[in-house]
Structure formats: C-alpha cells, structure tokens
C-alpha cells in the first residue's frame, strides 16, 4: 500500500497529515490521542505502509498494557488489518477476524461502529479474491444489520452503495439501481454527508449509463454537480468527471467527453490516486477506440502502462498488453503487435503458474488442519472417559442439592407470581389511560380534518365564483369600455379620454390579479394535471430576479387522491411563503419523492434562519397549521435551522389510499 510521493502530489497529503497531527497534540484526554493516532495510521495506509504501522505503535504505547481491555485489543487488530489491506490481503483478513473476536465482547458503543467497518473491509477483500457473492452476503448479514443497530443512516446508506457496486459489476443494473435509490433515500436528511451523497449520485449515474438510462444519468449528474461545489477536494471528484465524460461519450460529444476526462485526470493527480488515473485513462482509450482514432488510443495506452508498470498487479499488465497488441494490429504494425502479444502471453502464463501454486498451498493447509483435528479428537476421547467417572461422583451431590434448591425455587416462583399479577394490574391501568388519550387525539384530528376539508371546499367555491362570476363581469366591463374607446376619433382625444384609457389599463390589471388569487386558492394544474406539475408551477411562479426556486421530483405518481394532493400542496405553499416573507431567502430548493408507501418533502433555503425554539411551539410562521396537516397524514416534520445560515424542513408522511 506504500506509494512514492513527488513534487506537488506530496503537498495536499502532507498538509492533511500535519492537520491531523496538530489535532492530536491539542487533544486533552489520552483516549482522544489514541483514536487520533489510529485515524492518522488509517490515512497513511493508502500511501505509506511503514508510516501507518509507526502511528499504530505510537497509539499502542499510550494504552495500559497490563490491563488492556477487549476494546483496545480490537482497535489495534482493526487498524493493523487496514495497514495490511493492499500488501498482505490474507494477513489483513486474519486481523479483521481477530478484531471481531475482541470487539464483540466490548460493551462500548463505538465497538459496534468498528465492527461495521471491519466487516465491510473483510468483505471487500473477499471480493478482490473473486468472491463477490460472499462479499454481498457479508454486507447484508453482518455490516448492514450492525449499522441499523446503531441507527446510523449514513453508514447503512454507504453499505447499500457497496452492495449496489457489486451488483453493478455483475451487470445486474436494475437490482443495483434499487440499492442506489435506497441509499439516496437514507441520505436525503443528512445535510452534512456531502461526500456520501456525491458518491451515491455518481455511482447511480454510472449504473444508469451501463443500463442505457441516459435521461436518469443526466438528472443524477446534475444533482452531483451541486454537491461538488461544497466538497471541491473530494476524493471522489475524479470519478465524477469520469462518469460525466462517459455520459458525453454516449451522447456523441467527443470534445466534451475529453474535457471531462482531462479534469478527472488533474483531480486524480492532485490526490495522488493512481488507480483512478488508470481508470480514467482507460475510459479515454475506449473513447478514441470507438471513434477510430487509433493513434490517440495507442498513446493513451502507453500512459496507462507507465502507471501499471510501477505496481505489482499482473492482471492490470495483462489487460494493457492485450489492448496494445490489438490496437497495433488494427493499425497494421504487426511486428510491434507481435511484441505485445508475447508480453501478454508471458503475463498469462505467470498468472496460471501462480494460481497453481496458490492451489497447492491451499491443499497443504487443509491437510495440516485435518491432521490437527485427528490429534484433537484422540485427546477429546481420553478426556471424555475421565469426565464420565467424575460425573458419577457428582450425580449424588447434584440430586441432594437439587432437592434443596427446588424448595427455594418454589418459594421464589410464588413471590414472583404475586409481583407479576401486581405489575399486570398497573400496566392495564396505564394502557387504559393511553387508549383514552389516543381516542381524544384522534377526535381532535378528525375535527381539524373536517374543518380543513370544509375550508378547501369553500376555497374551491370562492375561486370558481371569482373566476367565472366576478372575473367574467370585469372582463365584460373591460370589453365595453374598450369598444367605447375605439369610437373616439384620434383627432378629438382630450384629457377625459386619456383617463378612460387609464381606467381600462387598471381594469386589465385587476382581472389578472383576480385570476392569480383564484389560481392560488385552487390551482387548476393540481386538479387536472397532478401533483408534480402543480408543485413545479408553484415553484416557477415564485421565481423572481431576487429569488431562485428549484424543484426536483423522484418517483411521483399521477393518481394520488384529491385530499392528499391538496394537503401536500398547501404544506409546500406555506413553507415557500415563509421562505419569501420571513426568511428573505435568495435561493430555495424543493424536493419531493415517494418510496415504499411514504411521501418525502425537503425544502432548503439560504435565508436568515430563525430561533430553533420557535419550531417547537404552536405559533409563529404558520408552524401550527403545517404540523396539524402533517399529523393528519400520520407523518413527522424535522426542522434544522439557526440564525444566519438558512433553514431545512424534512417532512415524511404516509400515503393514504
């Protein structure tokens, strides 16, 4: 896992390392310093294995050796596994299993989090060994249940992404898309998880391109670019540019694709990530090959070969040799092509030989294990004979002791039975009180629901009367005044006539305002076109020079029943009105989505925010009205805000049919 750092590539890595060291020096408690040194070791495991082990030893010196507990033993084994990850995969797997043995005995809350990480890493090593299905099983049966146990949605989402990646590599694109969608659903409320959301959007877009879903890929990439500005130094930035380039390649825009690949290579160079550099260069090679620019394709392959030659992966070298041979052959350079075919054949033979040697070692290990098991079986048989003799002597003592214990147990059972009946009576009384309270709350909700439905019916009637009645009357008056004005000859226009034109203009504005009010009271797009077009129209209608409102929708249906449509529309309308009137925002983002019978709304603004305590009261900024509508829909509303940094509203409601 070691890597040589030269020139500009060293600067950002050393800067990050120095930043972590400064935090460790400022840490007060020894426990904080231990975790800081281990995290620094984890960072260096990607670049310099020797430094990774150095910081592990530094952390171990701070641990109490005589009374080292299971938690700290597990930590050391986990970070040692991370340091061995690339250089010695088999040792790394043993270290991860050793860490699990210690951490599963620890009661510290952090032990669960490390167990999630170690199973994820262990599974990744299985995948590298060609056991992708086992990796998926480890994620679904080990890592994800543990992440759910500690209620860390970001961690669960990351493991869903790992499952999706394996399925995508197995070309199960539809199934992979389902897991990517679940990951994004879990991350929608994690406003600080920019890195995780960027990774999810980019990988989902990549999967969509593999599945020939260009339109979905475009939406996902547009969402990803909004996050890129928030994490400009992200380690996943090269992959974003690579997928963006692949999108333009499929769209037939070669220059745009090359521009994206170049940006990705620059980002990978700054981060010192050679494997991403190789990946992007191969995408560029395929682009030139598909456009029959064989010279450019060959030049890119030689750049890949420079990186591959520094590593120890024969599989990578084998692939480059083969593509060079094919390209040179297509160009008519058969002598050069023969050279690369020889290199390819040599790498293939070496891989076959190595695989055979590994198989022999595996069989030897199995034989040695079987021999040890036979010896253990003999010892076990001898011990069983001795144990039988001891058991006979203990039997009599056990019977006498059992009789005495039986009397004690019967007494305890009688006492516990009495206590149990007493507790049941108390619980029944509590359940009765809770049931009465629930009935009262339901009555209040039904009453409010009836009132809201009455208000909506009255709004609908007033809107219809305004539009059809008063609107028609005003339009008729305007037509008559306009007809009267046209009879006046141009050479006889006086001040009185000009006043008439002013009256006609004001009447025109009044008709427009009347129709706007009627639409707001009961928008026609909501009733005739559905929820998504109505919300999009609402957002567009609020766009001004000083306010930009964006709207995104995922998986929305067109057959929601009318009360649900109106409730959702009024909630969004109220929150947008608050953002304009009270928050003084310049940008607002509205997201709406549906997943497994639940409807999700997220509204973020960059306004001036407000006191979070206001969100918990019944009054102020329309919260009472919004919360009551959410309660009617059996949902919850989460408000994140503070003064000067904007506000985020996350609403989760049930879809009633």
């Amino acid at each position: 896992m070691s890597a040589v750092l030269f020139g500009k590539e060293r600067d950002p890595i050393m800067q990050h390392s120095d930043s972590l060291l400064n935090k460790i020096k400022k840490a007060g408690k020894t426990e904080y310093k231990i975790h800081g040194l281990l995290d620094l070791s984890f960072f260096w495991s990607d670049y310099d294995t020797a430094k990774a082990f150095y910081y592990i030893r530094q952390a171990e010196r701070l641990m109490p050796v005589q009374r080292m507990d299971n938690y700290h033993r597990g930590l050391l084994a986990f970070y040692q596994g991370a340091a061995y990850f690339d250089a010695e995969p088999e040792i790394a797997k043993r270290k991860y299993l050793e860490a699990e043995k210690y951490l599963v005995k620890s009661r510290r809350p952090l032990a669960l989090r490390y167990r999630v990480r170690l199973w994820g890493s262990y599974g990744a090593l299985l995948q590298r060994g060609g056991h992708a299905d086992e990796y998926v099983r480890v994620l679904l049966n080990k890592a994800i249940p543990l992440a759910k146990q500690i209620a860390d949605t970001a961690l669960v989402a990351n493991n869903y992404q790992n499952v999706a990646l394996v399925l995508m590599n197995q070309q199960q694109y539809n199934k992979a898309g389902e897991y990517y969608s679940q990951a994004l659903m879990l991350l929608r409320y994690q406003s600080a998880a920019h890195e995780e959301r960027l990774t999810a959007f980019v990988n989902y877009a990549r999967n969509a391109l593999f599945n020939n879903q260009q339109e979905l890929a475009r939406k996902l990439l547009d969402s990803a670019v909004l996050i890129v500005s928030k994490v400009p130094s992200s380690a996943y930035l090269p992959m974003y540019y690579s997928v963006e380039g692949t999108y333009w390649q499929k769209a037939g825009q070669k220059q745009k694709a090359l521009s994206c690949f170049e940006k990705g290579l620059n980002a990978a160079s700054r981060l010192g990530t050679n494997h991403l550099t190789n990946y992007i260069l191969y995408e560029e090679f395929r682009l030139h090959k598909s456009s029959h620019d064989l010279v450019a394709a060959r030049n890119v392959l030689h750049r890949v070969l420079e990186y591959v030659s520094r590593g120890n992966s024969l599989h990578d070298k084998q692939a480059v040799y083969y593509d060079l041979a094919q390209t040179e052959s297509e160009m008519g350079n058969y002598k050069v092509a023969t050279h690369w075919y020889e290199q390819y054949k040599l790498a293939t033979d070496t891989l076959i030989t190595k695989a055979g040697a590994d198989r022999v070692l595996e069989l030897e290990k199995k034989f040695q294990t079987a021999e040890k098991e036979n010896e253990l079986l003999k010892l076990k048989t001898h011990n069983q004979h001795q144990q039988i003799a001891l058991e006979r002597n203990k039997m009599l003592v056990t019977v006498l002791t059992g009789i005495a214990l039986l009397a004690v147990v019967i007494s305890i059972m009688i006492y516990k039975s009495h206590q149990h009946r007493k507790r049941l009576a108390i619980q029944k009384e509590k359940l009765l009180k809770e049931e009465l309270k629930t009935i009262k709350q339901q009555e209040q909700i039904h009453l409010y629901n009836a009132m809201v439905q009455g208000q909506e019916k009255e709004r609908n009637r007033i809107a219809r009367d305004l539009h059809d009645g008063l609107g028609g009357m005003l339009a008729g008056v305007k037509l008559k005044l306009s007809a009267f004005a046209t009879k006046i000859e141009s050479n006889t226009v006086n001040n009185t006539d000009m006043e008439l034109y002013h009256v006609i203009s004001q009447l025109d504005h009044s008709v427009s305002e009347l129709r706007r009010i009627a639409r707001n009271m009961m928008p026609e797009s909501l009733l005739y076109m559905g929820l998504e077009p109505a919300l999009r129209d609402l957002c567009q209608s609020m766009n001004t020079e000083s306010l930009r409102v964006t709207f995104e929708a995922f998986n929305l249906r067109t057959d929601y029943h009318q009360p649900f449509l109106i409730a959702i529309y009024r909630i969004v309308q109220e929150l947008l009105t608050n953002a304009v009137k009270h928050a003084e925002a310049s940008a607002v983002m509205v997201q709406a989505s549906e997943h497994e019978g639940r409807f999700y709304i997220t509204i973020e603004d960059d306004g001036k925010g407000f006191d979070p305590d206001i969100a918990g009261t019944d009054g102020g900024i329309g919260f009472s009205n919004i919360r009551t509508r959410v309660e009617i829909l059996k949902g919850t509303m989460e408000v994140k805000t503070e003064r000067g940094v904007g506000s985020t509203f996350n609403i989760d409601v049930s879809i009633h049919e």
Side-chain angles (χ1 to χ4, degrees):
M1 196 178 285
S2 59
V4 182
L5 307 174
F6 298 102
K8 294 182 179 179
E9 290 186 4
R10 182 182 178 86
D11 292 340
I13 296 171
M14 291 304 300
Q15 286 173 7
H16 186 68
S17 176
D18 292 341
S19 173
L20 292 176
L21 277 171
N22 289 332
K23 289 181 180 179
I24 295 168
K25 291 176 182 177
K26 294 177 182 178
K29 294 183 179 180
T30 303
E31 190 69 18
Y32 294 160
K33 290 183 179 180
I34 290 172
H35 280 87
L37 287 166
L38 292 175
D39 287 339
L40 187 57
S41 162
F42 190 81
F43 168 75
W44 276 109
S45 63
D46 283 332
Y47 306 102
D48 192 325
T49 304
K51 283 193 175 184
F53 278 109
Y54 169 77
Y55 289 115
I56 291 174
R57 290 193 295 272
Q58 293 292 317
E60 189 175 6
R61 289 193 184 101
L62 296 177
M63 298 178 185
V65 180
Q66 291 79 6
R67 51 189 182 86
M68 188 182 294
D69 59 6
N70 289 318
Y71 176 72
H72 288 99
R73 293 179 192 275
L75 285 190
L76 287 176
F78 171 79
Y79 283 101
Q80 287 167 356
Y84 279 121
F85 192 90
D86 281 336
E88 299 287 347
E90 291 303 318
I91 297 178
K93 284 195 284 189
R94 290 200 296 272
K95 285 294 180 181
Y96 286 134
L97 293 177
E98 180 184 345
E100 168 68 7
K101 181 182 71 174
Y102 289 121
L103 292 173
V104 74
K105 301 175 184 176
S106 175
R107 295 184 178 180
R108 294 199 187 192
L110 275 176
L112 277 174
R113 189 173 295 277
Y114 278 106
R115 289 177 65 200
V116 177
R117 293 175 63 185
L118 74 85
W119 281 119
S121 300
Y122 181 82
L125 288 172
L126 291 175
Q127 183 190 28
R128 287 191 177 189
H131 306 288
D133 292 338
E134 291 184 28
Y135 179 33
V136 172
R137 280 196 292 272
V138 167
L139 290 173
L140 294 177
N141 299 327
K142 294 287 188 179
I144 292 175
L146 287 171
K148 288 181 177 179
Q149 189 175 339
I150 59 179
D152 189 330
T153 54
L155 204 54
V156 175
N158 287 342
N159 280 287
Y160 275 146
Q161 285 198 68
N162 291 335
V163 174
L165 277 170
V166 177
L167 295 173
M168 182 172 67
N169 291 335
Q170 294 177 338
Q171 298 182 2
Q172 299 183 48
Y173 303 126
N174 291 330
K175 209 167 185 180
E178 293 175 7
Y179 279 101
Y180 281 129
S181 180
Q182 289 184 56
L184 284 172
M185 284 292 178
L186 290 173
L187 291 170
R188 68 186 181 280
Y189 293 152
Q190 303 294 320
S191 56
H194 300 309
E195 191 75 31
E196 291 83 355
R197 293 173 70 191
L198 175 62
T199 304
F201 277 123
V202 171
N203 284 337
Y204 196 0
R206 185 178 166 207
N207 183 78
L209 289 174
F210 285 144
N211 207 18
N212 294 319
Q213 296 173 301
Q214 275 79 3
E215 186 176 347
L216 174 60
R218 186 65 267 163
K219 286 184 179 180
L220 294 165
L221 288 170
D222 289 342
S223 297
V225 78
L226 297 175
I227 304 174
V228 168
S229 60
K230 298 177 182 178
V231 281
S233 59
S234 167
Y236 221 66
L237 197 59
M239 184 57 74
Y240 160 73
Y241 285 120
S242 173
V243 177
E244 180 79 23
T246 304
Y247 171 82
W248 289 118
Q249 177 185 353
K250 285 182 173 290
Q253 301 284 337
K254 182 177 180 180
Q255 292 305 316
K256 286 187 177 181
L258 287 173
S259 175
C260 290
F261 289 149
E262 190 62 32
K263 291 177 182 178
L265 290 171
N266 291 335
S269 176
R270 288 195 302 272
L271 295 167
T273 49
N274 289 344
H275 64 285
L276 287 177
T277 300
N278 289 345
Y279 180 84
I280 298 171
L281 284 172
Y282 244 103
E283 290 297 310
E284 187 175 338
F285 158 71
R286 293 187 183 96
L287 173 62
H288 290 307
K289 195 77 179 290
S290 65
S291 62
H292 305 291
D293 190 348
L294 298 179
V295 175
R298 180 186 61 186
N299 293 339
V300 172
L301 281 176
H302 280 288
R303 291 175 65 186
V304 176
L305 187 60
E306 291 178 14
Y307 286 97
V308 169
S309 299
R310 300 175 192 170
N312 299 320
S313 174
L314 280 173
H315 287 285
D316 292 344
K317 293 177 182 177
Q318 181 192 36
V320 177
Y321 294 151
Y322 180 81
D323 287 327
L324 277 169
Q326 287 286 89
T327 305
E328 293 288 359
S329 177
E330 290 178 25
M331 295 175 66
N333 301 327
Y334 301 112
K335 185 177 181 180
V336 180
T338 302
H339 166 73
W340 291 121
Y341 272 124
E342 290 295 330
Q343 294 294 321
Y344 167 73
K345 181 182 176 183
L346 181 62
T348 303
D349 292 342
T350 305
L351 283 171
I352 294 172
T353 303
K354 186 176 182 299
D358 291 342
R359 180 60 179 166
V360 171
L361 287 173
E362 184 180 350
L363 291 173
E364 286 180 354
K365 287 181 181 178
K366 288 183 178 179
F367 175 75
Q368 292 171 1
T369 302
E371 287 293 313
K372 289 179 181 178
E373 287 177 352
N374 287 332
E375 292 177 5
L376 289 172
L377 185 60
K378 291 177 182 178
L379 288 172
K380 187 177 180 181
T381 304
H382 177 69
N383 290 334
Q384 282 177 346
H385 288 300
Q386 292 182 336
Q387 189 69 23
I388 290 170
L390 290 171
E391 289 296 331
R392 287 173 182 170
N393 294 329
K394 291 180 181 178
M395 182 68 69
L396 182 60
V397 177
T398 302
V399 170
L400 295 174
T401 306
I403 294 172
L405 288 173
L406 182 61
V408 176
V409 169
I410 292 172
S411 300
I412 293 173
M413 288 177 64
I414 293 172
Y415 174 75
K416 286 188 174 181
S417 176
H418 173 71
Q419 293 294 323
H420 179 66
R421 286 196 298 270
K422 188 176 178 180
R423 284 196 298 270
L424 281 176
I426 295 171
Q427 288 177 355
K428 285 181 180 178
E429 185 179 353
K430 288 182 178 178
L431 287 172
L432 182 60
K433 289 181 179 179
E434 289 294 327
E435 187 176 353
L436 290 172
K437 184 179 178 182
T438 302
I439 291 171
K440 186 176 179 181
Q441 289 176 344
Q442 287 178 348
E443 287 178 353
Q444 291 176 347
I445 290 174
H446 287 322
L447 181 61
Y448 185 83
N449 193 13
M451 182 182 69
V452 169
Q453 289 179 0
Q455 288 177 348
E456 293 298 337
K457 288 180 180 178
E458 188 62 16
R459 284 188 181 192
N460 194 5
R461 185 189 63 79
I462 294 172
R464 200 164 51 244
D465 290 347
L466 286 174
H467 185 275
D468 299 340
L470 185 56
M473 292 171 62
L474 290 175
V477 172
K478 180 200 166 187
L479 288 173
K480 289 179 180 180
L481 289 174
S482 299
F484 178 72
T486 55
K487 293 178 180 179
I488 301 172
E489 298 182 0
S490 58
N491 58 354
T492 62
V493 174
N494 54 38
N495 292 334
T496 303
D497 298 328
M498 291 305 297
E499 286 295 327
L500 177 60
Y501 287 113
H502 287 305
V503 170
I504 293 172
S505 177
Q506 290 174 354
L507 186 59
D508 215 0
H509 288 301
S510 299
V511 172
S512 298
E513 181 65 15
L514 179 65
R515 288 176 178 168
R516 185 189 68 78
I517 293 170
R519 280 198 306 272
N520 284 341
M521 294 188 73
M522 185 53 60
E524 294 180 0
S525 58
L526 181 64
L527 298 178
Y528 301 113
M529 298 178 66
L531 184 58
E532 182 176 344
L535 292 178
R536 195 177 303 279
D537 288 346
L538 176 62
C539 293
Q540 289 176 355
S541 69
M542 300 193 75
N543 271 318
T544 63
E545 294 182 357
S546 59
L547 174 66
R548 180 172 175 266
V549 182
T550 58
F551 174 70
E552 294 180 357
F554 298 96
N555 301 327
L556 296 191
R557 295 169 13 212
T558 58
D559 58 347
Y560 299 111
H561 60 297
Q562 188 170 333
F564 181 81
L565 287 174
I566 294 172
I568 295 297
Y569 185 86
R570 295 303 180 201
I571 289 171
V572 175
Q573 188 180 43
E574 181 69 28
L575 289 173
L576 284 176
T577 303
N578 285 345
V580 175
K581 290 185 177 179
H582 303 288
E584 299 178 5
S586 61
V588 182
M589 183 189 72
V590 179
Q591 286 185 338
S593 60
E594 178 192 338
H595 183 68
E596 295 183 353
R598 305 293 295 179
F599 196 92
Y600 304 97
I601 304 170
T602 299
I603 298 180
E604 297 182 14
D605 67 65
D606 62 351
K608 62 184 181 181
F610 55 89
D611 189 347
D613 292 336
I614 296 176
T617 64
D618 290 335
I621 327 179
F623 279 114
S624 176
N625 189 28
I626 296 171
R627 284 193 183 278
T628 305
R629 288 184 184 273
V630 172
E631 288 176 5
I632 290 173
L633 295 176
K634 296 181 180 179
T636 59
M637 179 171 74
E638 178 187 19
V639 183
K640 296 180 181 179
T641 182
E642 58 180 281
R643 294 197 179 277
V645 296
S647 305
T648 301
F649 300 86
N650 295 314
I651 296 172
D652 172 358
V653 299
S654 174
I655 299 175
H656 301 287
E657 297 298 344

